[in-house]
């Protein structure tokens, strides 16, 4: 019932147009149809635009993974969104 989202990307020429929001909302809809009730992900602590998108979609911070990323080394925020089936 829980799902991890590994990667999502929008080409720089198409950012700030709501594409990431729509991709995530569509993913949540498909996950719900397949019985999932939770989506988790990691995001670089410095990636403020992405964090803002996730928070606006109702994701909550549930932890930090120290030194999760390399090149450059950086912590990751662990975010989680739950919904009813």
């Amino acid at each position: 019932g829980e799902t991890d989202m590994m990667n999502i990307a929008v080409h720089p020429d198409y950012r700030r147009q709501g594409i990431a929001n729509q991709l995530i909302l569509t993913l949540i809809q498909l996950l719900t149809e397949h019985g999932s009730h939770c989506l988790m992900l990691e995001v670089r602590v410095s990636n403020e635009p992405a964090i803002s998108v996730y928070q606006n979609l109702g994701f909550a911070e549930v932890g930090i993974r120290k030194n999760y990323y390399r090149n450059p080394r950086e912590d990751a925020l662990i975010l989680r969104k739950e919904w009813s089936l």
Side-chain angles (χ1 to χ4, degrees):
E2 295 184 4
T3 303
D4 286 322
M5 184 169 72
M6 301 304 294
N7 292 303
I8 185 170
V10 176
H11 189 279
D13 292 347
Y14 298 98
R15 292 182 184 158
R16 302 193 56 84
Q17 297 180 30
I19 295 169
N21 276 4
Q22 193 57 52
L23 286 171
I24 296 166
L25 289 172
T26 300
L27 174 61
I28 290 170
Q29 179 182 0
L30 292 169
L31 292 173
T32 302
E33 292 170 6
H34 287 89
S36 185
H37 63 86
C38 174
L39 182 57
M40 294 187 64
L41 59 92
E42 290 89 6
V43 60
R44 286 182 181 270
V45 295
S46 65
N47 192 345
E48 293 176 13
I51 293 168
S52 177
V53 167
Y54 298 132
Q55 288 175 337
N56 288 336
L57 289 169
F59 283 81
E61 183 179 332
V62 295
I64 295 180
R65 294 194 198 279
K66 293 289 188 184
N67 299 316
Y68 183 76
Y69 292 103
R70 296 190 175 116
N71 299 320
R73 184 167 298 280
E74 189 171 2
D75 296 345
L77 289 180
I78 304 168
L79 302 178
R80 178 182 179 100
K81 178 174 176 69
E82 295 184 37
W83 58 88
S84 299
L85 293 178

